[in-house]
Amino acid sequence: MTTVRYCVNGKLVNGIAPTNRGFAYGDGVFRTMRLLNGELQDWPLHYQTLVADCSKIQIVCPSAELLMQEFKYFMASASEAEVQFSILKIIITRGEGARGYAPPAVSEPTRVLILSPLPAYPAEIYAQGIALYTCQTRLAHQPLLAGIKHLNRLENVLARAELKDPRFFDGLLRDYDDHVIEAVSGNLFIRKDGLVMTPVLESCGVAGVMRQKILDWYKTQRQTVLVTTLTMQDLLSAEAIVIVNSVYGVLQVSHIDEQAVSTNHWAKELRSQLHYVTH
Ligand SMILES: C=C(O[C@@H]1C=C(C(=O)O)C=C[C@H]1N)C(=O)O
């Protein structure tokens, strides 16, 4: 059984300083990706989003070369099983600082690499789809942080804590205007009236790499994806709904709460078109 292991600033250490701003204030960003047969899946796109997210909160993202150098060092002590099938989470914080919100004029970003076992998803989630629970926790509007995978994920934590019934794979997140935004763990697409749509993430939500891959793929097919506001009624009247992230790929939604929703083979088609290999 592989355990969770981590590397901080290129060293196999047992933790980070309590004065680290990522710990103290959530002052940082992260991305989570699969490691399959020693290859980080979609690394260039994950790095591109790390750079973009860092830039939006005025952190200078470490170079890809440094992160890959530290990743290779980290993996040198990995087991064969870890190299074959793992989840790598990369956290970039603003670094260490004195007490108080003021960002230090100069700071060295902290680079944290965390290796975890791949989740053992049941085959049924790919064969039969998944059920979503409509969370009571709502996403607040903050355009300055919308789309960024920053470390202030308490809304996701509180929403995920609502999922007590094992029938539900994940939760559905709305904002206070009753717009459907995303799943707790990923983004959402629907097909409705022959159109592909995904929630606009200008006020809240996280813009995931798998979401970007799907947007990019449809662009190569010269098919427009409507990035728009979606309501629960849009979902309940959709021809199909999928949730997507870099770990489980693309999953068809079969139920929202107790209600069965229209399903087809869209998720399977997208996994094939994106060459997503279930693990
Ligand atoms: C919360 C993390 O990552 C997010 C959650 C999942 C998941 O629950 O499957 C996968 C990728 C991210 N959207 C994390 O701590 O890695």
Side-chain angles (χ1 to χ4, degrees):
M1 168 69 183
T2 52
T3 57
V4 176
R5 302 190 302 107
Y6 40 83
C7 171
V8 178
N9 292 341
K11 297 182 178 64
L12 302 179
V13 294
N14 288 322
I16 61 172
T19 52
N20 195 291
R21 294 178 60 88
F23 172 77
Y25 308 117
D27 191 356
V29 298
F30 76 99
R31 288 287 160 174
T32 301
M33 62 207 81
R34 294 194 303 166
L35 173 64
L36 296 184
N37 306 317
E39 288 298 315
L40 287 176
Q41 303 302 293
D42 302 311
W43 165 244
L45 198 46
H46 279 287
Y47 181 69
Q48 186 181 308
T49 49
L50 277 171
V51 171
D53 285 359
C54 279
S55 171
K56 289 172 188 167
I57 57 173
Q58 295 100 46
I59 292 177
V60 178
C61 189
S63 70
E65 291 71 23
L66 176 59
L67 289 173
M68 283 300 99
Q69 176 189 325
E70 294 181 349
F71 169 69
K72 289 183 174 63
Y73 166 77
F74 183 30
M75 293 310 292
S77 58
S79 69
E80 184 55 29
E82 287 176 315
V83 172
Q84 291 302 313
F85 299 103
S86 284
I87 296 281
L88 180 73
K89 179 172 180 177
I90 300 180
I91 299 174
I92 307 295
T93 84
R94 198 181 302 276
E96 297 182 17
R99 191 194 61 74
Y101 292 128
V106 178
S107 62
E108 173 73 22
T110 298
R111 294 97 53 199
V112 180
L113 308 180
I114 306 172
L115 206 62
S116 309
L118 275 173
Y121 295 123
E124 298 79 67
I125 70 168
Y126 293 105
Q128 297 162 15
I130 54 99
L132 292 177
Y133 166 84
T134 303
C135 295
Q136 296 310 303
T137 303
R138 301 294 184 112
L139 295 177
H141 284 187
Q142 177 40 280
L144 289 176
L145 297 177
I148 299 173
K149 201 161 197 172
H150 54 72
L151 294 173
N152 296 221
R153 301 257 64 91
L154 267 182
E155 290 171 327
N156 297 69
V157 171
L158 295 176
R160 187 63 181 81
E162 293 180 43
L163 265 68
K164 313 282 191 210
D165 185 331
R167 289 178 299 153
F168 297 109
F169 177 82
D170 204 358
L172 195 57
L173 288 171
R174 298 165 294 170
D175 65 11
Y176 284 93
D177 297 332
D178 280 337
H179 295 146
V180 174
I181 304 301
E182 59 191 4
V184 174
S185 68
N187 296 113
L188 176 139
F189 287 80
I190 71 169
R191 269 197 342 213
K192 185 168 181 282
D193 307 329
L195 292 172
V196 175
M197 307 179 193
T198 193
V200 60
L201 303 178
E202 291 173 348
S203 300
C204 54
V206 173
V209 161
M210 189 56 75
R211 173 182 182 270
Q212 190 56 53
K213 284 189 72 168
I214 292 170
L215 290 171
D216 293 346
W217 184 81
Y218 275 110
K219 191 177 287 183
T220 67
Q221 303 305 300
R222 292 183 171 72
Q223 180 168 351
T224 303
V225 176
L226 280 183
V227 182
T228 184
T229 52
L230 292 179
T231 64
M232 190 59 86
Q233 189 47 44
D234 290 323
L235 270 67
L236 296 176
S237 59
E239 292 134 34
I241 308 167
V242 294
I243 60 169
V244 307
N245 79 14
S246 294
V247 175
Y248 51 65
V250 185
L251 296 175
Q252 193 96 22
V253 176
S254 61
H255 291 77
I256 294 178
D257 304 318
E258 306 307 324
Q259 184 163 345
V261 296
S262 302
T263 65
N264 53 23
H265 300 292
W266 190 23
K268 185 177 181 184
E269 291 162 9
L270 282 173
R271 290 195 300 268
S272 169
Q273 285 147 358
L274 295 171
H275 311 297
Y276 176 88
V277 176
T278 55
H279 50 269

